[in-house]
Amino acid sequence: MNKSEPRISQEIAPDVFALAAELYAKENQYYSLSELMQAGAEVQIPPELIQQALQQLKAKQIKASERKKRLKLILTSGIGGAALALCGFGIYNTLASNFTLAKPNPEAKLEKAQIPPNPQMAFPPQPHPKADETTFTGQVQQYLLNPEGKVDGVLLSNGLQVKFGPHMGDSLVAMIAPGAGVSITGTPGISTRFGQEVKAESITNSQTNQTLAKQPPTVPPQPPLQGNYSNLSLEGTAQQWLVGHRGEINGVILSSGAQVKFPPHVGKQLLSLAKTGDKVQAEGFGTSNSYGQVLQATGLTVDGQSVSFDPPNPNSSPVKSIN
C-alpha cells in the first residue's frame, strides 16, 4: 500500500461505492441489440422473442408520444379559444354599454309619441297542437271493411266515414254495433259532395259511455293470404261513395250493403260522373263474412260507362276533389 496516496476514511467509503455504481449505471444505460440477445441467451430467452419484445415496446412509445402531442394540441386550442371568447365577450359588453348610453330609451320615446297600438300588427294566438281535431256525433249505419274483409271503421247515417286501423277492428265491433249512437274525436279530411273521411282518435258509445282510443298495433301486420279471396262480381245501385282523406273517391257501397274498393286513380275518372243511385257493375276478388261483403275491383262499369284501370300518367295533374 502506498502511504503517499490520500487516505479515505471508512465512514465515507460506502457512499463512494454507491455513487460510483450509480454513475456507472448511467453511463451504461444503452445496450446494443447483440448485447440484449447475449444477455437473454444466458437466461435461455430465444433471440426472436427479444426482437419481438423490442418492437412492441417501440410501438407503445410511439403511441404514448402521439397521445401527448394530441393532448398538448387540445389544451393549446382550448386555452386559445377561451381567451378569444373572453376577448369577444369583453368587446361585446363594451359595445353594448356604449350603444345603451348613446341610444335613448325606446319605451320613453313611445310614451312621448303616444302612438296607438295597431291591432293588425299583433301576433295571432298559436294553435293548440291538436287544434285540427274535431268532435262529431251520429248513428252507426254499418261497418267499413278493408279488402281483406277486416273492419277498419264505421259509416254513420249522416254520411261521415270514420276510419280506424284494421288491427282495432275486433275491439271496435265488441263495443260498437250498427244502430248505436256515437261520438267521435278525430282529424277530418276534405269534405266533398261524395262524403268525408275522419281519421278517428277515439270513439265513444253514447249509451254505454265506453270509449275506444286509437292505439298502435301490438304485432306487425301479416300479409294477406290468397286463400281468403275468391273471384266475385257485384251489381247494384250506388248508395254511398267512399272517399279518402284528401277527398279522392276510392270505393262505393251498393244498396245491398256490399262494398267495392278501387284505386284513387280509378276514382279520379268518376269525379264528374259519380252520383247516388248510379248503376254499378264490378268484378274482381274479395271475401264475405259476418260483417259484410267486400270486393277489390279489377273491372268497373258505372251507368254503362266502363272505367279504365290503366296505371296513371305521371305527367297528369294530381287528384282534386269536387266540393
Side-chain angles (χ1 to χ4, degrees):
M1 180 181 296
N2 190 352
K3 294 184 179 180
S4 63
E5 293 180 355
R7 306 290 295 174
I8 299 173
S9 68
Q10 185 177 0
E11 296 178 353
I12 66 171
D15 294 335
V16 172
F17 283 119
L19 180 59
E22 181 178 350
L23 293 173
Y24 178 80
K26 289 182 178 180
E27 291 181 358
N28 295 275
Q29 58 183 330
Y30 296 100
Y31 303 93
S32 66
L33 179 60
S34 60
E35 290 174 339
L36 287 176
M37 289 184 176
Q38 183 178 359
E42 294 179 359
V43 291
Q44 297 182 348
I45 298 177
E48 59 270 17
L49 294 183
I50 296 291
Q51 290 181 335
Q52 182 178 353
L54 181 61
Q55 292 174 355
Q56 291 181 0
L57 285 174
K58 286 183 177 180
K60 289 182 179 180
Q61 290 176 349
I62 292 173
K63 289 183 179 180
S65 177
E66 291 177 350
R67 283 197 296 268
K68 289 181 180 179
K69 289 180 180 179
R70 287 196 297 268
L71 180 60
K72 184 177 180 180
L73 179 61
I74 293 172
L75 290 175
T76 304
S77 301
I79 293 172
L84 183 61
L86 289 173
C87 180
F89 184 72
I91 294 172
Y92 170 79
N93 284 339
T94 302
L95 292 175
S97 299
N98 294 337
F99 181 79
T100 302
L101 292 173
K103 295 281 289 184
N105 188 344
E107 294 180 357
K109 181 178 284 187
L110 284 175
E111 289 178 358
K112 292 180 181 180
Q114 295 182 352
I115 300 175
N118 186 353
Q120 296 181 352
M121 296 180 63
F123 290 103
Q126 296 297 320
H128 191 271
K130 293 187 178 181
D132 55 345
E133 290 186 3
T134 309
T135 300
F136 303 89
T137 59
Q139 187 178 28
V140 175
Q141 180 172 311
Q142 71 176 84
Y143 296 124
L144 296 176
L145 308 177
N146 71 357
E148 298 178 61
K150 296 181 179 179
V151 175
D152 65 354
V154 292
L155 172 67
L156 303 187
S157 56
N158 56 13
L160 204 64
Q161 301 162 33
V162 182
K163 300 301 290 290
F164 276 98
H167 64 281
M168 299 180 62
D170 292 341
S171 300
L172 182 63
V173 169
M175 196 185 75
I176 304 292
V182 292
S183 174
I184 300 104
T185 299
T187 305
I190 296 176
S191 178
T192 75
R193 65 184 179 90
F194 304 107
Q196 184 180 22
E197 182 192 75
V198 174
K199 291 183 178 179
E201 292 294 328
S202 66
I203 182 169
T204 301
N205 188 318
S206 301
Q207 294 178 338
T208 64
N209 288 326
Q210 289 180 299
T211 298
L212 176 64
K214 179 182 176 181
Q215 53 191 336
T218 56
V219 295
Q222 300 297 319
L225 299 177
Q226 188 174 1
N228 293 342
Y229 300 100
S230 59
N231 293 328
L232 288 177
S233 60
L234 295 173
E235 183 175 343
T237 57
Q239 176 181 301
Q240 173 70 55
W241 292 97
L242 300 175
V243 298
H245 208 66
R246 294 178 297 173
E248 69 277 17
I249 303 175
N250 57 20
V252 62
I253 298 179
L254 303 181
S255 54
S256 62
Q259 302 174 38
V260 178
K261 303 283 187 174
F262 44 77
H265 77 272
V266 174
K268 181 180 179 181
Q269 305 171 57
L270 301 173
L271 288 174
S272 59
L273 175 67
K275 60 183 180 299
T276 303
D278 286 337
K279 184 178 180 181
V280 176
Q281 293 175 310
E283 59 182 14
F285 54 92
T287 185
S288 299
N289 54 35
S290 59
Y291 305 126
Q293 189 176 36
V294 59
L295 177 147
Q296 182 68 41
T298 56
L300 182 68
T301 301
V302 178
D303 276 349
Q305 182 173 337
S306 180
V307 182
S308 174
F309 276 72
D310 292 339
N313 185 348
N315 297 324
S316 62
S317 57
V319 176
K320 295 182 179 180
S321 61
I322 300 177
N323 294 326

